Amino acid sequence: MDFDIKDIGLAEEGKSSVDWANKSMPVLNSIKKRFAKEKPLKGIRLGACLHVTTETASLMETLKAGGAELSLCASNPLSTQDYVAAYLVKHQDIPVHAINAEDTDTYYRHINSVLDTKPVITMDDGADLVSTIHREKSHLTGDIIGGTEETTTGVIRLRNMANEGKLKYPIIAVNDARTKYLFDNRYGTGQSTIDGITRATNVLWAGKRVVVCGYGWCGKGIARRAQGLGALVIVTEVQPVPALEAAMDGYQVMPLTEAARVGDIFITATGDASVIDIEHLSQMKDGAIMANSGHFNVEINIPGLQNMARSQRQVRPFVQEYTLHDGRRLHLLGEGRLINLAAAEGHPASVMDMSFANQALCLEYLVKNKGKLQPAVYTVPAEIDEQVSQLKLKAMNIAIDCLTLEQKKYLESWQSGT
Ligand SMILES: NC(=O)c1ccc[n+]([C@@H]2O[C@H](COP(=O)([O-])OP(=O)(O)OC[C@H]3O[C@@H](n4cnc5c(N)ncnc54)[C@H](O)[C@@H]3O)[C@@H](O)[C@H]2O)c1
């Protein structure tokens, strides 16, 4: 088997972490049991470019149980848990190509190793796999049934490809399932971003001025968790509706040029580039901390920061201190990469349970609908979203009410009013 990982000797450590995560993934486990019986993915070559974490290992086990032939590479150079990669190779016979802290050349070499297996379904987190296929290996698209995309940034890239008429096969935007973004982006990113920054810095949140750039699903979660720890939260936005929402949720809202002067900790979660730029870096206080939780490491202008610095040094793991010409010291965490995956362990398994249940069910849907879908970006079918929420509620032992016949009739009618 062709694989490229850090150290196969880490496999037992990986096994116990994956077993631990599996305990919090009841929905995915129930799908795994069904897949093992029904084999809906039998003989399907599946190429995955995902964060190589314990929860991803659970997803890989589920897909393997369903009969898929898998290969996996990382969707971010810093997010790979090397012990998980070792576990998947040793205990699951899955070819993994991922090494934590790999350089960009190795990152793309690993993507190409996955593509060498000629996948007929792709799974992406950020759309690097799909964009590599379309840029360099378009001959593969003829056999590809479809793909899935896990995150907001990837969905944006794919929609742009579709709008330009460049997308050559159908993709399901798993990110846009309600059982994904309402929980994964909001609660998962919210908690794990705070976790990553805390592990990297051991900072006390209470009383800090925390500037959250972007009040989308991730930003909402981060702001709420920071506030819960006693921080004074400031939100910056470019769209009026989320800005208004932030104001009415009780946060201060202001342009980043103003917030830059007062913030102690800055967290970007926008999916946009150069959100924290030279003009903001020029205003920040001595000791300010910056972290990013958006998909790519472009949200903070790092080359600009490097140019402004007279020196830099690593003061703790994941903390790079830049001393500027005027003597101020600014701190960048985790090289500006997703801080929750770089310095912590990513989302808790319980939330990935729903995201990856959507992934597994969407893959089954793609196989069942082979040849019927046009090259376009599709939303997750409503019945899948519903099924995932029902299974999660059941696993959490939560019952809900049912509509009575009278209520059903009322809700379907229009005649009765005032
Ligand atoms: N860290 C993780 O584990 C994780 C998890 C899920 C999503 N993500 C990534 O986080 C990013 C945000 O995802 P989301 O689901 O919250 O997206 P979203 O579309 O819900 O929200 C993004 C928000 O950022 C705002 N924004 C854009 N440019 C801005 C700017 N220059 N200044 C201030 N605000 C700006 C937008 O108006 C929008 O409200 C994406 O890159 C996504 O892929 C990361």
Side-chain angles (χ1 to χ4, degrees), residues 230-243:
L232 299 156
V233 176
I234 298 169
V235 168
T236 73
E237 251 298 341
V238 290
Q239 290 194 70
V241 174

Side-chain angles (χ1 to χ4, degrees), residues 26-267:
V27 178
L28 197 60
N29 284 329
S30 69
I31 295 170
K32 190 197 296 177
K33 261 192 211 147
R34 178 171 69 77
F35 273 19
K37 269 194 232 137
E38 299 175 7
K39 303 278 175 205
L41 306 175
K42 191 163 191 290
I44 295 288
R45 282 191 312 280
L46 224 155
C49 179
L50 299 172
H51 300 298
V52 182
T53 62
T54 46
E55 297 78 23
T56 299
S58 302
L59 174 63
M60 293 294 116
E61 288 175 2
T62 304
L63 306 179
K64 194 176 171 206
E69 293 166 18
L70 295 158
S71 59
L72 171 67
C73 62
S75 58
N76 186 293
L78 276 193
S79 63
T80 299
Q81 293 166 352
D82 290 314
Y83 52 72
V84 170
Y87 161 75
L88 286 170
V89 170
K90 183 163 178 199
H91 292 288
Q92 295 291 328
D93 291 323
I94 294 173
V96 180
H97 304 266
I99 299 172
N100 189 287
E102 61 196 13
D103 60 22
T104 308
D105 285 348
T106 312
Y107 176 78
Y108 278 101
R109 181 163 56 74
H110 285 159
I111 285 187
N112 278 299
S113 300
V114 165
L115 295 180
D116 287 345
T117 65
K118 299 195 170 55
V120 295
I121 289 192
T122 59
M123 293 175 76
D124 244 319
D125 188 335
D128 278 348
L129 194 63
V130 176
S131 85
T132 306
I133 291 175
H134 283 71
R135 279 185 286 107
E136 295 166 23
K137 307 226 160 161
S138 57
H139 61 279
L140 293 176
T141 57
D143 290 333
I144 295 183
I145 299 170
T148 57
E149 170 54 53
E150 172 78 6
T151 198
T152 315
T153 283
V155 173
I156 292 171
R157 290 178 84 188
L158 293 165
R159 293 223 159 95
N160 293 340
M161 281 172 81
N163 289 342
E164 286 180 20
K166 299 263 165 69
L167 187 66
K168 294 217 172 92
Y169 60 87
I171 310 255
I172 303 185
V174 169
N175 180 73
D176 294 357
R178 285 180 302 161
T179 45
K180 200 279 184 182
Y181 67 79
L182 285 176
F183 306 97
D184 172 317
N185 300 29
R186 183 166 45 173
Y187 300 117
T189 312
Q191 177 173 318
S192 60
T193 298
I194 301 295
D195 184 16
I197 297 172
T198 309
R199 290 196 206 192
T201 60
N202 198 24
V203 75
L204 177 74
W205 291 85
K208 291 281 185 308
R209 287 186 194 274
V210 173
V211 180
V212 178
C213 304
Y215 200 64
W217 291 110
C218 295
K220 287 188 213 321
I222 296 165
R224 176 75 85 86
R225 295 296 168 249
Q227 190 182 46
L229 287 165
L232 299 156
V233 176
I234 298 169
V235 168
T236 73
E237 251 298 341
V238 290
Q239 290 194 70
V241 174
L244 194 55
E245 209 183 349
M248 295 215 186
D249 283 345
Y251 305 115
Q252 272 190 286
V253 179
M254 61 181 77
L256 186 53
T257 39
E258 278 174 42
R261 287 197 286 270
V262 293
D264 299 302
I265 301 173
F266 295 81
I267 308 168

